[in-house]
Amino acid sequence: MPVDNVRLSQPAKDRLTYLKRTTGITQWNVLCRWALLLSLKDPSTPLVKDIVTDSNVEMTWKTFAGQHGDVYLALLKQRCAAVGQEVSDENVARMLTVHLHRGIGYLGADKQMATIEGLVDAVVAL
């Protein structure tokens, strides 16, 4: 299993705390799933930088991914292959961290996404 635990940076936690208040979605994992999909939807490569996962928000892969863990894992592996990275456990874990944090940044940057309707529109819009 390439990912055992999912950890967030303090800035990511702060953005999600705001979103929890404004959307009414109370679970970290639900918001993180939205963030991951939003980032994976963007075909550009995230700016690669070191992300310090220094917050107290941590969840197991099972909690993060729920019953669709195989789908999320396949999407991450596909992205690794698409950008020419070896599909290794380390690269898949890094891809998750980078895309999760970029997606959280997207969620926190757009005021429209402060509602459930805005989140749905952002992820499913063509």
Side-chain angles (χ1 to χ4, degrees):
M1 180 62 146
V3 181
D4 293 323
N5 292 306
V6 178
R7 292 202 54 174
L8 299 178
S9 67
Q10 188 61 44
K13 176 189 173 188
D14 294 342
R15 285 184 190 247
L16 290 179
T17 299
Y18 165 77
L19 288 166
K20 285 174 70 173
R21 265 194 325 271
T22 60
T23 64
I25 298 171
T26 59
Q27 301 298 316
W28 299 108
N29 60 328
V30 172
L31 289 169
C32 286
R33 290 174 194 167
W34 281 99
L36 177 64
L37 293 177
L38 188 59
S39 180
L40 288 173
K41 177 184 163 191
D42 182 342
S44 70
T45 302
L47 296 175
V48 178
K49 62 179 184 176
D50 290 328
I51 297 172
V52 179
T53 54
D54 57 349
S55 78
N56 62 351
V57 177
E58 181 176 6
M59 64 196 95
T60 66
W61 172 256
K62 185 171 174 70
T63 298
F64 168 80
Q67 65 185 9
H68 301 293
D70 291 341
V71 173
Y72 294 117
L73 191 56
L75 289 170
L76 290 165
K77 287 180 177 181
Q78 186 278 331
R79 182 54 73 98
C80 282
V83 298
Q85 291 183 359
E86 177 186 349
V87 182
S88 66
D89 288 354
E90 182 178 316
N91 286 341
V92 169
R94 175 133 178 85
M95 192 68 61
L96 170 64
T97 300
V98 170
H99 277 281
L100 178 58
H101 282 81
R102 178 170 79 167
I104 290 170
Y106 286 171
L107 289 176
D110 188 340
K111 297 294 184 200
Q112 176 186 351
M113 288 187 249
T115 66
I116 292 174
E117 294 83 8
L119 287 173
V120 171
D121 287 344
V123 173
V124 298
L126 300 174

